[in-house]
Amino acid sequence: MPNIVWFKRDLRVHDHAPLFEAAKQGPLIALYIVEPMFWTLPDSSRRHWHFIHDSLNDLREALATLGVKLTIRIGEAVSVFEDLRQQLGTFHLWSHEETGNGWTYERDISMLDWACAHGIAWNETPSHGVVRRLGNRDGWAAIRNARMAMPVQAVPSITPHDISSHALPGKDHSLFGKGSIGHVQSGGRVEGRHVLASFLKERACNYMTTISKPGISARHCSRLSAHIAYGTISVREIEQATHAKMKVLAGNPDDDARYYAKNLSAFLSRLAWRCHFVQKLEQQPAIEFRCMHDAFEGMREPHFREDFFNAWASGQTGYPLVDASMRSLHANGWINFRMRAMLVSFASYHLWLDWRQTAPHLARLFTDYEPGVHYSQFQMQSGVTGINAVRMYNPVKQSIDHDPEGKFIRRYVPELKDVATQWIHETWRMPKPPADYPAPLVDHNTAIKQARAEIGQRWTSAGFGDNARAVRQKLGSRAKQPERRKVAKKLGVQLRFDL
C-alpha cells in the first residue's frame, strides 16, 4: 500500500517525522498541493509564493538525492486526494499538524471527513511546540521544552512510488496575483541553514541592542522567521544549534563571549514566545475573526474610515516613522517587531481601525506571515485580549528613540531627504512643511485620549473580569502578567473588581 506524505508548511526532509515514519512503512509519494482557492484569500500574496517556490525547488533537489521526486498537484485538496484514491486505491496519508488560517482549518476538517468516509488512515504529527487538543495552558511549556530537547529526526531511506505530476507553476503565474511585490527574501533549506549559521557565528553579537532599530535590525535579527513559517528548517534544529553555540561560548571566560551568549539566550526566549502565540490560534481558531474578549466586539467596526485605511496602508499618514515603516515593508517584506507593533498600534488607536480590516493587509506584505503569530499579536497590539497590557505607541517618541538621525526615514520617505534632523520626526512643526508630504491625519494627544476612554469603558463593563479570567485560563501565558490595576491606571479608569 503506498504512503503519501503531504507537505504543507514543512518544506524540508530533515527533522520531518511524517516523512521518516512513512518511509518505514513502504513505497512513498512526496506530494505538494497548489490550492487555487487558497491564493484568492485576503491574507495570501505572491510574495508568499515566491518564498514557497524557492523552498519547493530546494525540497525537490533534496528529495531527488533520496531517489524520490516531488509530486505537484494543482486543485482543491479533497479533489486531489480523491483522484489519487481512484488511481492508487487505498493509501496511508502522512502530514504534520497544521496551525494555519481559518481556510486551512476548514479544509482539514473536510479532509478528515473524506478520509474517514473512504477508510484512509491519516497520520498527523505534532509540529514545533504546538500541542493539539490542549484544554488550557497549564503544563504547556514543559511539553514544548521536552519536544525541543528530543533528537533531531534523521533523514530516512525511501522506496519511491512514482506517479504523474503537474508542472510547478512559475513565480509570476497569474494564479498568485499580479503587481509589484518588491524584494522577497530567498527561500529554501540551503538558504535557511546559511542564515542560521551566519546568525550564530556573527550577526547575533548585537541582537539585543539593535532589535528595535529599524535601520540596522535587519542585519542583527535572525531573519529566520520566514524559514520557520514555511518549515525549511525546524524550530528544534534552531534551538539545538543555538544551545550548542552557547555551550561553546560558555567555555570562553571573556566578557564578549558572555555577552554573545546573553544575546542568544534572548533569541531563544523569542523562539519560545513564537510557539506560545501559535498555540493560541491552535486552541481557539476563531481568534482570526473574533476578539479574544467579547467586550471589544463592535468597538471599532462602525467607525471605519476608508481614507484613513488607505493612507496607513500606503505610508501617507503624515507621521514619518510610521510611513517609513510601511513603505519599507512594501519594499522588503520585513520590518522588525517594534515597527510592526507601532504600525498596528497607530492603526488601532490613532486611526481607530478595526484589526480585522488591517491584519490582512500586513499579512500580504509579510514574507514571514504566520497566522498564529499574526492574529495573536494583532489582537494584543490592538488591546482586545482583555489580559495583556494596552500599549499605545507614540510614533514621535519611537522615531526619536530608534531613528534619532532620521536615516531610516529619509531612506524610505524620499520627500523628506532634505529635511533637517531637528524637524525629521515632526515635519508639521517646520516653518514651511514639505509640499509633497502630507500633514498628520490626526493629532496624537487627541487620538490617544479618545482611545484610552473607549478602551477604559470596556475594561469597566459588567462581567469583564469573569470573561478575562476565562481567556487567561485558556490562552494566557503562565509567566507573570501585569496586574489589572496597573493596566487600568495607565488607561485612567477606576476598576470595580479585580481580575
Side-chain angles (χ1 to χ4, degrees), residues 228-299:
I228 297 172
Y230 295 106
T232 67
I233 186 168
S234 72
V235 174
R236 177 163 47 210
E237 290 179 278
I238 296 170
E239 285 223 2
Q240 294 190 11
T242 305
H243 280 296
K245 176 68 175 181
M246 292 173 69
K247 186 176 181 180
V248 171
L249 291 169
N252 189 334
D254 67 36
D255 291 341
D256 287 344
R258 285 195 292 270
Y259 182 68
Y260 208 114
K262 190 174 181 180
N263 279 278
L264 292 178
S265 179
F267 168 67
L268 287 175
S269 72
R270 284 164 174 80
L271 274 183
W273 275 106
R274 178 195 176 279
C275 290
H276 161 74
F277 284 113
V278 178
Q279 182 68 44
K280 292 176 184 283
L281 186 63
E282 174 64 35
Q283 287 180 247
Q284 190 165 315
I287 67 173
E288 180 181 346
F289 310 107
R290 288 191 61 83
C291 298
M292 291 185 196
H293 196 299
D294 286 343
F296 300 103
E297 289 295 333
M299 182 175 68

Side-chain angles (χ1 to χ4, degrees), residues 419-433:
V419 172
T421 301
Q422 71 179 107
W423 306 114
I424 195 68
H425 310 293
E426 299 176 278
T427 53
W428 58 91
R429 297 190 184 278
M430 295 175 65
K432 187 177 180 181

Side-chain angles (χ1 to χ4, degrees), residues 174-192:
S174 60
L175 179 65
F176 309 102
K178 298 179 180 179
S180 173
I181 56 172
H183 171 76
V184 182
Q185 182 178 354
S186 298
R189 180 176 176 82
V190 172
E191 179 65 18

Side-chain angles (χ1 to χ4, degrees), residues 97 99 126-135 139-141 143-144 147 275 278-279 282-283:
E97 295 171 347
T99 306
S127 181
H128 306 308
V130 178
V131 182
R132 186 157 286 186
R133 289 176 287 277
L134 187 69
W140 171 80
I143 298 171
R144 189 250 177 208
R147 287 185 184 175
C275 290
V278 178
Q279 182 68 44
E282 174 64 35
Q283 287 180 247

